[in-house]
Amino acid sequence: SIATGLSMETTKTNLLQAYNTLGSLLGDNLSLAIVPSAKITVDEYIEEMKRSDYKVLFIDYDSNFKNNASDNMYLEYGLIYDRLTELTQMGKLIVIAAQPKVQSWGAEVIEQDMVGESARKIHSVDMAITGSKATEFGNSGIFKIVKNRRGKSGKQTGYLRMNSGRFRYIDRNLFNSLRNTDTTEWTESEVDNHVYTYESTKNMGISSGTQSFKSGGSSTMKNPF
């Protein structure tokens, strides 16, 4: 959906066409592996990836690996992340999706201690980014860097999820103001209009009384995305 620019609903009804378009755009640079939950272990995955040339690996998500979590969930999920460092030592970038704790699903911001299954995950990763989903309006929420081993943590940004599946990152003040809207699906043009209005109003507030505005001409506003 992101690659074609079509809405997710349109993509679903034209799946073969969308898939062919994706293939022509990406070629052999992307491979999808769809495996039933609890079918393969993390060790089997590692051995397969060792034989591949892929530099970036996406795992969605960690608890789908076959494991012995029934014995010790805290320990087992920590070991999964420890084992995956065998691939990072080969120069591969690994991005892993994980679930937060159930009691945090409605939180405005997902904090570090809200990571599900095992806090040992946080000890192993170089960076952890949480993403909340606001239930009060639309497909939106807050991303936060809760851990960054090689940089600053604590950075937050609001997001809107487009009807094409793409994320647009917006100023936190604008994000808060959009809470009053009833929109559940956003188009690129709608977000552009909101950003333009917000930036124009902010710039007018800063420049009021210091300079006059000329009509016409191109906008020089900074795009926060």
Side-chain angles (χ1 to χ4, degrees), residues 46-112:
I46 290 171
E47 290 306 311
E48 182 66 24
M49 291 303 103
K50 281 182 178 179
R51 294 190 289 268
S52 78
D53 294 327
Y54 295 117
K55 302 301 182 185
V56 183
L57 310 175
F58 295 89
I59 300 172
D60 185 15
Y61 51 99
D62 56 7
S63 59
N64 283 330
F65 282 122
K66 183 180 180 180
N67 57 70
N68 298 315
S70 58
D71 298 331
N72 189 326
M73 181 178 290
Y74 183 87
L75 177 61
E76 184 67 27
Y77 281 99
L79 289 174
I80 286 176
Y81 281 64
D82 287 340
R83 292 286 292 111
L84 287 169
T85 59
E86 188 172 343
L87 294 176
T88 62
Q89 290 171 354
M90 297 174 61
K92 298 179 185 291
L93 172 64
I94 304 178
V95 181
I96 311 173
Q99 292 285 359
K101 295 178 180 178
V102 175
Q103 57 266 34
S104 69
W105 286 2
E108 180 181 50
V109 178
I110 306 295
E111 300 293 351
Q112 179 173 305

